[in-house]
């Protein structure tokens, strides 16, 4: 049987006490709901480059959030369990309980603002076609939500509210007004329109509706309370197109 020398015992005792203190502090933070700030170097690239996460999303960023919130299994799919966990976390941190991992929820999860700012800069610097396609993808994920005049998400939208929400997710600020939005984008021809470009509907000498072109003659839009949010076949030719 080996015996620890008397001279080594104080050092061993100190190490045990430090380990115990760390364990107690970690347990206290877990019970209180606190989140240790994440080192930017330790974050997956997907976390640094994803502006928002919500139901239907997949990938490494979702898996990271699931691990952070102890969601099982950590499948990388943002389903009902993940949304419920995000809402519980938001409620415990006095945030809007929309179940979407946006700027404030990222911050509460310990992802520093400087990291998020860097990711927004990276998104803005990507090719326009890729950025606009991402905005369309964000809009498509809102399908099935209700239309409400003046709403800008995430629970409900009107037409310009949906467009501004989708583009804000990729680092572009647009006004919550279809007419004002028209003045902020570059006009393009019908022949050059691509998915992610904007469709402006005209009537009586003014712009009164905006949608996101979704390809093959379809628009992603918040049209009216009856149809809600979804991808619809183009329903008028009184339109012009714009590129953000």
């Amino acid at each position: 049987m080996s015996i620890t020398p008397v001279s080594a015992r104080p050092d061993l005792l100190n190490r045990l006490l430090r380990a115990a203190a760390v364990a107690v502090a970690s347990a206290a933070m877990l019970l209180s709901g606190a989140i240790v700030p994440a080192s930017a170097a330790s974050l997956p690239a997907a976390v640094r480059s994803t502006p928002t996460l919500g139901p239907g999303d997949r990938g490494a960023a979702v898996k990271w959030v699931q691990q952070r919130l102890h969601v099982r299994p950590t499948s990388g799919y943002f389903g009902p369990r993940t949304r419920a966990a995000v809402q519980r976390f938001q409620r415990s941190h006095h945030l809007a309980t929309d179940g979407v991992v946006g700027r404030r929820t990222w911050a509460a999860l310990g992802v520093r603002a400087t990291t998020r700012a860097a990711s927004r800069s990276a998104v803005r610097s990507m090719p326009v076609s890729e950025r606009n396609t991402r905005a369309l993808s964000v809009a498509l994920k809102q399908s099935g939500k209700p239309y409400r005049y003046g709403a800008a998400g995430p629970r409900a939208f009107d037409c310009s509210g949906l467009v501004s929400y989708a583009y804000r997710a990729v680092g572009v600020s647009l006004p919550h007004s279809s007419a004002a939005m028209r003045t902020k984008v570059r006009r393009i021809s019908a022949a050059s329109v691509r998915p992610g470009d904007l469709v402006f509907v005209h009537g009586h000498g003014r712009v009164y509706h905006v949608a996101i072109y979704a390809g093959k003659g379809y628009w992603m839009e918040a049209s009216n309370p009856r149809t809600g949010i979804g991808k619809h076949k183009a329903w008028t030719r009184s339109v012009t197109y714009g590129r953000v």
Side-chain angles (χ1 to χ4, degrees), residues 4 17 28 53 69 77 108 116 164 195 227 233:
T4 303
L17 288 173
L53 289 177
L69 299 183
Y77 172 70
R116 305 306 309 161
S164 61
T227 58
K233 189 72 174 176

PDB file of all heavy atoms in Angstrom, residues 4 17 28 53 69 77 108 116 164 195 227 233:
ATOM      1  N   THR A   4       0.774   8.601   0.922  1.00  0.00           N
ATOM      2  CA  THR A   4       1.102   9.944   0.454  1.00  0.00           C
ATOM      3  C   THR A   4       2.006  10.631   1.455  1.00  0.00           C
ATOM      4  O   THR A   4       1.679  10.687   2.648  1.00  0.00           O
ATOM      5  CB  THR A   4      -0.181  10.782   0.282  1.00  0.00           C
ATOM      6  OG1 THR A   4      -1.043  10.096  -0.613  1.00  0.00           O
ATOM      7  CG2 THR A   4       0.136  12.158  -0.269  1.00  0.00           C
ATOM      8  N   LEU A  17      -9.938  21.024  -2.606  1.00  0.00           N
ATOM      9  CA  LEU A  17     -10.802  22.148  -2.239  1.00  0.00           C
ATOM     10  C   LEU A  17     -11.157  23.003  -3.456  1.00  0.00           C
ATOM     11  O   LEU A  17     -12.302  23.457  -3.605  1.00  0.00           O
ATOM     12  CB  LEU A  17     -10.111  23.012  -1.180  1.00  0.00           C
ATOM     13  CG  LEU A  17     -10.016  22.387   0.227  1.00  0.00           C
ATOM     14  CD1 LEU A  17      -9.157  23.258   1.132  1.00  0.00           C
ATOM     15  CD2 LEU A  17     -11.408  22.209   0.813  1.00  0.00           C
ATOM     16  N   ALA A  28     -24.366  25.843  -8.877  1.00  0.00           N
ATOM     17  CA  ALA A  28     -25.157  27.036  -8.570  1.00  0.00           C
ATOM     18  C   ALA A  28     -25.585  27.747  -9.839  1.00  0.00           C
ATOM     19  O   ALA A  28     -26.722  28.204  -9.969  1.00  0.00           O
ATOM     20  CB  ALA A  28     -24.350  27.985  -7.678  1.00  0.00           C
ATOM     21  N   LEU A  53     -32.274  31.363 -35.447  1.00  0.00           N
ATOM     22  CA  LEU A  53     -32.631  29.949 -35.531  1.00  0.00           C
ATOM     23  C   LEU A  53     -34.077  29.802 -35.094  1.00  0.00           C
ATOM     24  O   LEU A  53     -34.509  30.431 -34.117  1.00  0.00           O
ATOM     25  CB  LEU A  53     -31.752  29.096 -34.615  1.00  0.00           C
ATOM     26  CG  LEU A  53     -30.290  28.889 -34.995  1.00  0.00           C
ATOM     27  CD1 LEU A  53     -29.594  28.075 -33.912  1.00  0.00           C
ATOM     28  CD2 LEU A  53     -30.169  28.193 -36.342  1.00  0.00           C
ATOM     29  N   LEU A  69     -28.813  23.890 -23.939  1.00  0.00           N
ATOM     30  CA  LEU A  69     -30.066  23.868 -23.180  1.00  0.00           C
ATOM     31  C   LEU A  69     -30.448  22.465 -22.725  1.00  0.00           C
ATOM     32  O   LEU A  69     -31.565  22.254 -22.247  1.00  0.00           O
ATOM     33  CB  LEU A  69     -31.198  24.468 -24.029  1.00  0.00           C
ATOM     34  CG  LEU A  69     -31.009  25.925 -24.455  1.00  0.00           C
ATOM     35  CD1 LEU A  69     -32.215  26.418 -25.231  1.00  0.00           C
ATOM     36  CD2 LEU A  69     -30.749  26.823 -23.245  1.00  0.00           C
ATOM     37  N   TYR A  77     -31.889  19.125 -35.238  1.00  0.00           N
ATOM     38  CA  TYR A  77     -33.146  19.564 -35.859  1.00  0.00           C
ATOM     39  C   TYR A  77     -33.928  20.401 -34.854  1.00  0.00           C
ATOM     40  O   TYR A  77     -34.137  19.987 -33.707  1.00  0.00           O
ATOM     41  CB  TYR A  77     -33.985  18.381 -36.305  1.00  0.00           C
ATOM     42  CG  TYR A  77     -35.369  18.774 -36.783  1.00  0.00           C
ATOM     43  CD1 TYR A  77     -35.524  19.472 -37.978  1.00  0.00           C
ATOM     44  CD2 TYR A  77     -36.499  18.485 -36.019  1.00  0.00           C
ATOM     45  CE1 TYR A  77     -36.791  19.866 -38.408  1.00  0.00           C
ATOM     46  CE2 TYR A  77     -37.761  18.864 -36.447  1.00  0.00           C
ATOM     47  CZ  TYR A  77     -37.906  19.555 -37.637  1.00  0.00           C
ATOM     48  OH  TYR A  77     -39.154  19.945 -38.057  1.00  0.00           O
ATOM     49  N   ALA A 108     -28.075  35.925 -24.246  1.00  0.00           N
ATOM     50  CA  ALA A 108     -28.362  35.240 -22.986  1.00  0.00           C
ATOM     51  C   ALA A 108     -27.727  33.855 -22.945  1.00  0.00           C
ATOM     52  O   ALA A 108     -27.392  33.337 -21.867  1.00  0.00           O
ATOM     53  CB  ALA A 108     -29.872  35.129 -22.783  1.00  0.00           C
ATOM     54  N   ARG A 116     -21.583  38.083 -32.664  1.00  0.00           N
ATOM     55  CA  ARG A 116     -22.763  38.218 -33.505  1.00  0.00           C
ATOM     56  C   ARG A 116     -22.574  39.346 -34.516  1.00  0.00           C
ATOM     57  O   ARG A 116     -22.988  39.251 -35.662  1.00  0.00           O
ATOM     58  CB  ARG A 116     -24.011  38.505 -32.653  1.00  0.00           C
ATOM     59  CG  ARG A 116     -24.278  37.495 -31.561  1.00  0.00           C
ATOM     60  CD  ARG A 116     -24.345  36.066 -32.066  1.00  0.00           C
ATOM     61  NE  ARG A 116     -25.246  35.923 -33.179  1.00  0.00           N
ATOM     62  CZ  ARG A 116     -25.217  34.901 -34.023  1.00  0.00           C
ATOM     63  NH1 ARG A 116     -24.302  33.967 -33.886  1.00  0.00           N
ATOM     64  NH2 ARG A 116     -26.080  34.822 -35.008  1.00  0.00           N
ATOM     65  N   SER A 164     -39.250  42.764 -44.159  1.00  0.00           N
ATOM     66  CA  SER A 164     -38.229  43.395 -43.317  1.00  0.00           C
ATOM     67  C   SER A 164     -37.673  42.393 -42.300  1.00  0.00           C
ATOM     68  O   SER A 164     -36.475  42.400 -42.004  1.00  0.00           O
ATOM     69  CB  SER A 164     -38.789  44.632 -42.612  1.00  0.00           C
ATOM     70  OG  SER A 164     -39.877  44.301 -41.769  1.00  0.00           O
ATOM     71  N   PRO A 195     -35.005  34.455 -57.327  1.00  0.00           N
ATOM     72  CA  PRO A 195     -35.517  34.203 -55.974  1.00  0.00           C
ATOM     73  C   PRO A 195     -34.812  35.071 -54.936  1.00  0.00           C
ATOM     74  O   PRO A 195     -33.590  35.196 -54.931  1.00  0.00           O
ATOM     75  CB  PRO A 195     -35.202  32.710 -55.763  1.00  0.00           C
ATOM     76  CG  PRO A 195     -35.264  32.132 -57.141  1.00  0.00           C
ATOM     77  CD  PRO A 195     -34.666  33.192 -58.029  1.00  0.00           C
ATOM     78  N   THR A 227     -55.604  34.169 -46.216  1.00  0.00           N
ATOM     79  CA  THR A 227     -54.572  33.245 -46.706  1.00  0.00           C
ATOM     80  C   THR A 227     -53.380  33.123 -45.765  1.00  0.00           C
ATOM     81  O   THR A 227     -52.649  32.148 -45.819  1.00  0.00           O
ATOM     82  CB  THR A 227     -54.064  33.693 -48.083  1.00  0.00           C
ATOM     83  OG1 THR A 227     -53.541  35.026 -47.987  1.00  0.00           O
ATOM     84  CG2 THR A 227     -55.192  33.682 -49.112  1.00  0.00           C
ATOM     85  N   LYS A 233     -49.120  31.602 -55.854  1.00  0.00           N
ATOM     86  CA  LYS A 233     -48.943  31.910 -57.270  1.00  0.00           C
ATOM     87  C   LYS A 233     -49.175  33.398 -57.494  1.00  0.00           C
ATOM     88  O   LYS A 233     -50.058  33.998 -56.875  1.00  0.00           O
ATOM     89  CB  LYS A 233     -49.939  31.088 -58.106  1.00  0.00           C
ATOM     90  CG  LYS A 233     -49.718  31.147 -59.601  1.00  0.00           C
ATOM     91  CD  LYS A 233     -48.492  30.362 -60.012  1.00  0.00           C
ATOM     92  CE  LYS A 233     -48.354  30.303 -61.534  1.00  0.00           C
ATOM     93  NZ  LYS A 233     -47.110  29.607 -61.954  1.00  0.00           N
TER      94      LYS A 233
END
